[in-house]
């Protein structure tokens, strides 16, 4: 019974896949060598909408109403509760990050002439530790889920 309990508790941890990091071993399906014909650095922008859905405002109204309910008596308490709820909702609404933000990606487009004479075009994230120039010798690493280009050194 203890083994099953341990298995049930640890199994979800085994299923979680960590994202690929550049310094981790990973099976490569094919490696092709070539030389860079052209290099073009690109920036791509993506507009990201706010993910807030109003729960913060509702929570602010509830907290403000509870605080306002502590003051006054009779109709005065009702008015204080309503004013506190409106004030709490207003403060919470102004604290939210509402609207759109722009996320910017830095990419590099590499046109590679392989040793077999074929042209291969790859667009990938910019790695500040590996900047490319035309004429660089490179290798193209083909994985199950994509491609990566690295510089080779003579």
């Amino acid at each position: 019974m203890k083994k099953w309990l341990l298995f049930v508790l640890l199994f979800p941890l085994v299923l979680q896949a960590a994202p690929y990091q550049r310094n981790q071993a990973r099976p490569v399906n094919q490696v092709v060598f070539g030389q860079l014909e052209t290099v073009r650095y690109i920036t791509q922008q993506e507009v990201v909408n706010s993910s807030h859905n109003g729960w913060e405002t509702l929570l602010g109204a509830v907290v403000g109403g509870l605080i306002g309910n502590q003051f006054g008596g009779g109709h005065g308490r009702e008015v204080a509760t309503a004013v506190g709820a409106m004030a709490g909702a207003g403060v919470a609404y102004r604290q939210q990050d509402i609207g759109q933000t722009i996320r910017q990606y830095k990419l590099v487009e590499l046109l590679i002439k392989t040793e077999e004479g074929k042209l291969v075009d790859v667009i990938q994230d910019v790695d500040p530790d590996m900047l490319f120039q035309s004429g660089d010798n490179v290798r193209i690493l083909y994985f199950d889920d994509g491609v990566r280009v690295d510089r080779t050194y003579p």
Side-chain angles (χ1 to χ4, degrees):
M1 183 67 178
K2 287 183 183 181
K3 288 182 183 180
W4 279 105
L5 181 60
L6 186 62
F7 177 75
V8 169
L9 292 175
L10 294 179
F11 188 70
L13 298 176
V14 173
L15 288 180
Q16 292 178 345
Y20 170 70
Q21 298 296 324
R22 194 164 180 75
N23 60 353
Q24 290 178 337
R26 192 173 160 191
V28 177
N29 296 333
Q30 182 182 10
V31 179
V32 176
F33 293 92
Q35 188 173 38
L36 286 175
E37 293 285 314
T38 61
V39 177
R40 188 168 67 121
Y41 288 93
I42 307 167
T43 56
Q44 179 183 5
Q45 293 183 348
E46 175 185 28
V47 176
V48 180
N49 291 318
S50 176
S51 62
H52 296 286
N53 56 11
W55 287 105
E56 294 87 354
T57 304
L58 179 62
L59 182 62
V62 169
V63 170
L66 289 173
I67 292 172
N69 193 38
Q70 303 300 314
F71 300 100
H75 289 299
R77 178 174 285 191
E78 292 172 0
V79 171
T81 301
V83 169
M86 288 189 299
V91 169
Y93 181 79
R94 281 192 285 286
Q95 295 299 319
Q96 292 180 25
D97 184 19
I98 296 176
Q100 298 177 336
T101 57
I102 296 177
R103 186 176 296 152
Q104 193 170 51
Y105 300 100
K106 294 182 181 181
L107 306 170
V108 60
E109 180 181 18
L110 306 167
L111 182 62
I112 304 159
K113 187 170 190 175
T114 66
E115 290 177 339
E116 294 82 29
K118 295 179 182 178
L119 289 175
V120 177
D121 192 53
V122 176
I123 298 174
Q124 66 185 26
D125 292 328
V126 171
D127 180 355
D129 295 329
M130 186 172 298
L131 300 177
F132 297 98
Q133 296 178 20
S134 294
D136 283 349
N137 292 320
V138 295
R139 63 183 179 172
I140 308 168
L141 305 170
Y142 290 91
F143 303 101
D144 285 339
D145 60 348
V147 176
R148 181 78 191 171
V149 176
D150 289 327
R151 224 173 37 230
T152 60
Y153 298 97

